[in-house]
């Protein structure tokens, strides 16, 4: 029974350690390779917002340091939050859609003038990376905390230490079972001699 519990704990620690390695790898890849541009995979994009422009309109609920997961759609609607490439600069921006027609999208100005939303500019749909699906608030703060040295050391000690403890306990319990089995065989041999 003890051996089964130890093996279950060992499997759990192995899975958590694997998730830990995958999670940190994704954080590091996103930080190194995609800091200033969205990553794209199968029509889904992720982007770290690097500007507070959207706070001025208060409609989007998105601010600097948030992570937006977006999906490339065939058509966009008013108030969709989109990631797009600013023509001529290769910089990525996040704005709300004012209106969309055929192959163009009009984006809202982050400023409300005289109580009305204004069009900032018109862009081509080809420049749109995708529309928001999910916003992960304060992603940059979370990433900085999660990738801090004390957190990494603590998680490594807990998960990999747990694996080592489970491995040692497994060997101890297997040894105890082997000794118990040998003692039972000895007792049976002695009983046969009598």
């Amino acid at each position: 029974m003890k051996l089964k519990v130890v093996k279950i704990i060992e499997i759990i620690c192995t899975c958590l350690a694997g998730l830990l390695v995958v999670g940190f790898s994704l954080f590091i890849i996103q930080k190194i390779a995609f800091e200033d541009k969205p990553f794209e995979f199968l029509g889904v994009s992720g982007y770290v917002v690097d500007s507070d422009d959207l706070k001025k309109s208060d409609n989007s609920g998105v601010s600097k340091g948030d992570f937006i997961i977006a999906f490339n759609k065939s058509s966009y609607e008013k108030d969709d939050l989109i990631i797009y490439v600013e023509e001529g600069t290769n910089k990525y921006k996040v704005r709300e859609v004012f209106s969309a027609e055929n192959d163009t999208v009009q984006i809202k100005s982050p400023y409300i003038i005289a109580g009305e939303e204004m069009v900032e500019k018109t862009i081509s749909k080809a420049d749109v990376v995708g529309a928001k699906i999910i916003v992960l608030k304060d992603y940059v703060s979370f990433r900085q905390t999660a990738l801090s040295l004390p957190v990494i050391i603590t998680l490594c000690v807990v998960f990999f230490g747990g694996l080592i403890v489970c491995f040692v306990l497994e060997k101890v319990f297997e040894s105890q079972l082997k000794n118990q089995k040998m003692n039972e065989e000895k007792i049976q041999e002695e009983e046969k001699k009598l």
Side-chain angles (χ1 to χ4, degrees):
M1 179 67 176
K2 290 179 186 176
L3 189 58
K4 285 183 182 179
V5 171
V6 169
K7 285 190 178 194
I8 290 170
I9 293 171
E10 186 176 15
I11 290 169
I12 290 169
C13 282
T14 302
C15 291
L16 290 174
L19 286 173
L20 182 70
V21 168
V22 169
F24 279 120
S25 298
L26 290 174
F27 272 147
I28 291 167
I29 289 169
Q30 192 277 323
K31 173 71 175 154
I32 293 169
F34 301 108
E35 183 64 26
D36 60 346
K37 59 185 180 208
F39 71 84
E40 296 180 46
F41 182 70
L42 299 174
V44 177
S45 305
Y47 178 68
V48 176
V49 179
D50 61 359
S51 166
D52 263 339
D53 283 351
L54 285 167
K55 262 189 170 175
K56 294 168 187 143
S57 69
D58 281 337
N59 292 335
S60 68
V62 175
S63 57
K64 186 174 182 175
D66 292 350
F67 188 75
I68 296 178
I69 298 173
F71 185 71
N72 194 350
K73 302 190 317 184
S74 58
S75 64
Y76 298 96
E77 300 169 6
K78 184 173 173 51
D79 296 328
D80 275 352
L81 192 65
I82 61 168
I83 302 169
Y84 71 96
V85 182
E86 191 169 39
E87 190 177 345
T89 65
N90 285 336
K91 290 190 176 191
Y92 291 83
K93 291 204 170 200
V94 178
R95 290 286 192 274
E96 290 178 286
V97 173
F98 188 81
S99 68
E101 298 172 10
N102 302 330
D103 292 334
T104 61
V105 176
Q106 289 186 321
I107 53 176
K108 290 181 186 178
S109 169
Y111 306 97
I112 295 175
I113 300 169
E116 290 194 27
E117 296 172 335
M118 305 298 286
V119 173
E120 180 177 341
K121 66 171 100 175
T122 301
I123 59 170
S124 167
K125 277 189 186 174
D127 292 334
V128 178
V129 176
K132 174 195 87 163
I133 303 173
I134 299 170
V135 174
L136 304 174
K137 301 297 286 172
D138 297 322
Y139 169 79
V140 170
S141 299
F142 173 74
R143 184 183 62 203
Q144 287 171 344
T145 302
L147 290 178
S148 68
L149 192 58
V151 170
I152 292 173
I153 290 171
T154 302
L155 290 173
C156 287
V157 167
V158 168
F159 292 124
F160 294 110
L163 280 174
I164 292 168
V165 168
C166 286
F167 180 76
V168 169
L169 286 174
E170 184 178 352
K171 294 299 177 193
V172 167
F173 290 144
E174 284 176 352
S175 174
Q176 286 177 349
L177 286 173
K178 187 177 178 182
N179 287 340
Q180 185 179 0
K181 193 172 188 178
M182 287 174 56
N183 287 340
E184 286 174 2
E185 288 173 359
K186 242 186 208 180
I187 291 171
Q188 286 176 354
E189 284 178 22
E190 288 177 9
E191 287 176 353
K192 284 182 184 177
K193 288 180 183 177
L194 293 176

